[in-house]
Amino acid sequence: MTAGITDVAVVGAGPAGRALAHRLLLRGMTVTIVDPRPGATWRPTYACWTDELPPWLPAGAVSAHVSSVEIRTPDATRIARGYSVLDNAGLQRALTVDGARIVPERATRVAPDHVITDSGIVRASTVVDARGTSGQGPRQTAFGVVVTRERARPVLGAAEAVLMDWAPLEEAAGATFGDSGVPSFLYAIPLDDERVLLEETCLAGDPPLSITALRARLQARLGRLTDDALDTESVSFSLEGVDSPWRRTPLPFGARGGLLHPATGYSVGMSLAAATVVADAVAAGRDPADDLWPTGGRAVHRLRTAGLHALLALDADQTREFFAAFARLPVARQRAYLSGRTDLSGSVAAMLTLFGRADHRTRRALARAVLTGR
């Protein structure tokens, strides 16, 4: 299989790759999508801060929205920032790729000007690799159950959603529960008007908590509530994309290309917004890496990677204290650290404030992790 040269070959048809193909097609570019299962239903729950969503995304791509979330360490702090859960089917419908050439095959080699598949070659002026993270290094893992809103009411309490509940399991379940020093928290968010996801999450581990361990922790935390599950969800993905994505050809994009926040695991909101940046650059004949990764963005990426190393260095008590301090930051500084992908001054200010509020032992762990990369 060999055809004429397409303007852009997008390898990977997940949310990031499909969003990029969608924005390129709207600019009149010829696009080829290479993915072994291009029409597969997306199973994970995708969520993001509402202000990260691009203005062009239709309302039908969002299944649930709350105006605030709560962080419990175990003291509860309300974060007055909108949070949205995406409707996977609605998002796929919104990211139309009509007019793209679809190659439903595995990419065996991805080069700057061509892609080799199981049956031939796709030649392109620009190649973008959106196949997700490689699977190496620190990972985020989670196991959750979906229950009715009524059953989730005791967990949510007065909160619209709980972003993190770091209550130790011995406090939550009345018994000591310790299979590992790696901490985990409860994530409780509405999926729609009827259902709520209750998920035990290992934010970052190297090695991470296993799905089996997380299932046991969730059972210890929620008790019989897990017996009424309408569905379950398992999550496991690498938190590291390629190093220095702005130096790589072909251009890595999405989680693979540094748009996954390594200290939180969020990537979809940033990828949807960045799709327009890359599409505009390609349509104008510019190097998309320059537009996607200005100097400030490269520095923020390095800081975020250091932040991941810092989180991995903290024990359970230090982790709770870290997020207690984070919850008390002004929302503007939280936003700078979590979503300001090119906001170097805001990211630095947030990180310095967190460092300044930490105790001596935690500061020493953070400094060692940042300086050594371990």
Side-chain angles (χ1 to χ4, degrees):
M1 175 204 66
T2 303
I5 297 178
T6 188
D7 289 332
V8 185
V10 179
V11 185
R18 190 176 175 102
L20 178 57
H22 169 73
R23 302 312 286 173
L24 288 163
L25 288 164
L26 290 178
R27 284 151 181 76
M29 311 292 287
T30 57
V31 177
T32 298
I33 299 173
V34 180
D35 189 289
R37 300 176 63 225
T41 300
W42 298 332
R43 294 290 299 168
T45 298
Y46 298 124
C48 64
W49 300 102
T50 304
D51 53 29
E52 291 179 340
L53 294 173
W56 52 262
L57 195 70
V62 175
S63 63
H65 167 75
V66 296
S67 60
S68 66
V69 298
E70 201 167 82
I71 293 180
R72 300 169 179 169
T73 58
D75 294 335
T77 303
R78 177 177 173 270
I79 309 298
R81 187 182 179 194
Y83 191 79
S84 295
V85 177
L86 297 171
D87 180 287
N88 288 0
L91 181 60
Q92 284 183 296
R93 288 193 299 269
L95 302 178
T96 56
V97 291
D98 298 338
R101 176 188 173 209
I102 307 296
V103 179
E105 298 179 13
R106 181 175 60 97
T108 58
R109 183 173 187 271
V110 182
D113 61 353
H114 69 275
V115 180
I116 299 178
T117 72
D118 288 328
S119 68
I121 301 176
V122 175
R123 301 191 183 278
S125 299
T126 301
V127 176
V128 178
D129 191 348
R131 289 179 293 177
T133 53
S134 65
Q136 303 299 313
R139 300 183 71 82
Q140 182 170 125
T141 51
F143 176 80
V145 295
V146 178
V147 299
T148 65
R149 276 191 178 250
E150 182 62 30
R151 292 292 288 149
R153 197 176 305 279
V155 177
L156 290 173
E160 293 183 86
V162 179
L163 188 69
M164 294 176 167
D165 185 346
W166 290 98
L169 285 166
E170 58 268 26
E171 294 180 17
T176 301
F177 186 87
D179 52 41
S180 168
V182 178
S184 63
F185 63 89
L186 180 68
Y187 174 64
I189 56 164
L191 299 178
D192 50 38
D193 291 340
E194 304 295 333
R195 302 173 303 145
V196 174
L197 173 66
L198 305 176
E199 194 163 74
E200 191 73 18
T201 303
C202 169
L203 184 63
D206 190 13
L209 289 172
S210 68
I211 298 301
T212 300
L214 288 163
R215 184 197 298 265
R217 288 191 178 194
L218 187 68
Q219 175 69 46
R221 192 184 294 276
L222 299 180
R224 296 298 298 273
L225 185 58
T226 59
D227 296 342
D228 298 326
L230 305 173
D231 200 357
T232 63
E233 176 176 275
S234 297
V235 174
S236 179
F237 59 86
S238 172
L239 290 166
E240 293 183 329
V242 300
D243 293 332
S244 303
W246 50 88
R247 294 177 181 164
R248 301 301 184 101
T249 55
L251 178 72
F253 185 71
R256 189 182 195 88
L259 297 181
L260 181 150
H261 196 306
T264 67
Y266 285 18
S267 68
V268 174
M270 291 184 197
S271 298
L272 292 173
T276 297
V277 176
V278 174
D280 285 346
V282 173
R286 300 190 300 270
D287 183 348
D290 292 338
D291 285 26
L292 188 60
W293 292 106
T295 301
R298 300 177 189 189
V300 169
H301 180 72
R302 294 187 181 101
L303 284 176
R304 288 179 168 184
T305 301
L308 171 60
H309 296 156
L311 280 178
L312 291 169
L314 303 181
D315 62 27
D317 289 338
Q318 290 173 317
T319 300
R320 278 191 288 273
E321 288 301 317
F322 178 89
F323 281 101
F326 178 84
R328 292 192 295 268
L329 287 178
V331 171
R333 289 206 171 173
Q334 293 177 358
R335 182 183 292 110
Y337 179 69
L338 295 174
S339 305
R341 196 177 63 80
T342 61
D343 183 1
L344 178 57
S345 61
S347 297
V348 169
M351 295 179 80
L352 287 177
T353 301
L354 286 170
F355 185 82
R357 293 182 179 181
D359 61 29
H360 179 71
R361 188 169 71 97
T362 300
R363 285 185 193 177
R364 187 170 55 192
L366 293 173
R368 184 188 307 116
V370 171
L371 292 173
T372 66
R374 294 193 300 272

